[in-house]
Amino acid sequence: MPHDTDTPTLDLDPDTVPDPDPDATSLPAPTDSAAPAASVQRGPTLDPALLDIADNVRENFHLEDHPDVTESIREHGVKNPIKVIQMPNGRLVVRDGQVRTLTALALAQTEVPVWITDFDPSVDATEAEIDRITEQITVNDRRIPLTDSDRAKGIAQMLDLGASVTRVARALQTKRDDIKRAAKIGASATARNLVDEGQYDLEQAAVIAEYDNLGDTDAVERLICAHRSWFTYEANRIAADRAEQRAYLAAALPYAQAGLGILTDYPDLSYYTDKAP
């Protein structure tokens, strides 16, 4: 199969895929020598051009429709092994992983991890085809994506470990501002729970997380109690209150340094009015 990186649209037509050279696809013969106890065993890898894209329930795949997949494989390569069935004639047929295979081919990558099993000739051809379709539908339907809060927590952990925002953004093919926002949410258990519960979008959760990470429980309580329709209004009020408090304390600092007491809370003057009991 040629490496065509200029054509972003890939149609899965098994008739256009040439049969690989059986000699080139044979796996290394086992040896009697035992591997050293300290060695690390690595799974097999193959050139994706040697893999045969046969029948699949996913009929067409267009690279331009999945830029996140394309950029991830461009940056990291294929990480999840491609499941391959080795036929009696030596053909290596992709059972699960056609998107990974075709993307690697389009990006001219020459090595992908594979998991190879032998074709079972004892299974009736019709039953084998039913099993193939069942497996391909099941593995695609049952893949569980990360929740937004899981992803945010992982991003926060990477930054805590010293990774830069730029590095994480490049690795995850995500904008820097989105990484910064996710990091705020990821560092706040309160915000993560609110995201999981679907009560707030990521922008609102990031505002709550910012105050929660500062230990400002009053601001967090006010934001959580605010109706969703006036969340932004309440957030702006809190931001203005905090800015006023900072300005007040900055102006009071010279007096505090001179030994004078600084009023940080206003007394309830209603006690001295006619409304007092």
Side-chain angles (χ1 to χ4, degrees):
M1 181 183 291
H3 300 293
D4 183 2
T5 57
D6 297 328
T7 304
T9 300
L10 298 172
D11 297 323
L12 308 187
D13 185 358
D15 294 333
T16 64
V17 181
D19 289 338
D21 181 358
D23 294 335
T25 61
S26 59
L27 298 179
T31 61
D32 295 333
S33 59
S39 67
V40 177
Q41 298 299 314
R42 182 185 178 199
T45 60
L46 289 175
D47 187 329
L50 300 176
L51 304 180
D52 184 359
I53 305 293
D55 292 338
N56 197 289
V57 292
R58 193 196 304 273
E59 293 186 349
N60 293 285
F61 173 64
H62 307 283
L63 285 178
E64 67 272 18
D65 293 339
H66 304 276
D68 52 340
V69 175
T70 303
E71 290 307 311
S72 177
I73 292 179
R74 188 195 308 276
E75 178 74 18
H76 307 290
V78 174
K79 292 298 185 183
N80 193 24
I82 296 166
K83 186 174 182 180
V84 175
I85 305 296
Q86 185 167 26
M87 308 303 289
N89 63 357
R91 290 175 60 217
L92 297 171
V93 179
V94 173
R95 172 61 64 87
D96 175 44
Q98 65 161 346
V99 170
R100 282 164 276 159
T101 302
L102 291 172
T103 304
L105 284 169
L107 297 175
Q109 296 184 356
T110 59
E111 187 177 69
V112 294
V114 293
W115 173 25
I116 302 175
T117 57
D118 291 327
F119 173 77
D120 185 357
S122 66
V123 178
D124 176 78
T126 300
E127 286 300 318
E129 192 67 359
I130 292 173
D131 289 343
R132 173 191 67 79
I133 296 171
T134 300
E135 181 177 347
Q136 290 176 346
I137 292 176
T138 300
V139 297
N140 282 283
D141 284 349
R142 299 298 182 265
R143 286 175 175 145
I144 302 174
L146 289 174
T147 65
D148 287 334
S149 67
D150 289 336
R151 191 170 190 273
K153 184 177 181 180
I155 289 172
Q157 289 173 335
M158 284 191 286
L159 296 180
D160 286 344
L161 290 170
S164 67
V165 172
T166 300
R167 176 182 175 183
V168 175
R170 184 175 62 249
L172 301 182
Q173 296 85 50
T174 305
K175 295 179 180 178
R176 285 171 50 88
D177 288 345
D178 292 340
I179 294 296
K180 293 177 182 178
R181 179 183 63 192
K184 293 178 182 178
I185 297 172
S188 167
T190 299
R192 293 199 308 271
N193 290 336
L194 293 173
V195 169
D196 281 342
E197 293 169 2
Q199 298 186 41
Y200 298 91
D201 59 33
L202 295 180
E203 290 287 350
Q204 294 170 332
V207 175
I208 295 173
E210 186 169 4
Y211 289 111
D212 189 40
N213 294 333
L214 292 172
D216 192 338
T217 56
D218 175 68
V220 171
E221 185 68 21
R222 286 172 60 180
L223 289 169
I224 291 177
C225 291
H227 192 276
R228 290 284 298 273
S229 61
W230 64 71
F231 181 93
T232 301
Y233 170 75
E234 186 64 22
N236 289 336
R237 282 187 58 195
I238 294 172
D241 289 346
R242 299 304 181 263
E244 181 180 353
Q245 291 172 3
R246 288 192 295 271
Y248 173 81
L249 293 175
L253 181 60
Y255 299 97
Q257 292 174 334
L260 299 177
I262 303 300
L263 183 66
T264 58
D265 193 15
Y266 293 98
D268 183 8
L269 299 179
S270 64
Y271 181 84
Y272 301 101
T273 66
D274 294 337
K275 297 181 180 179

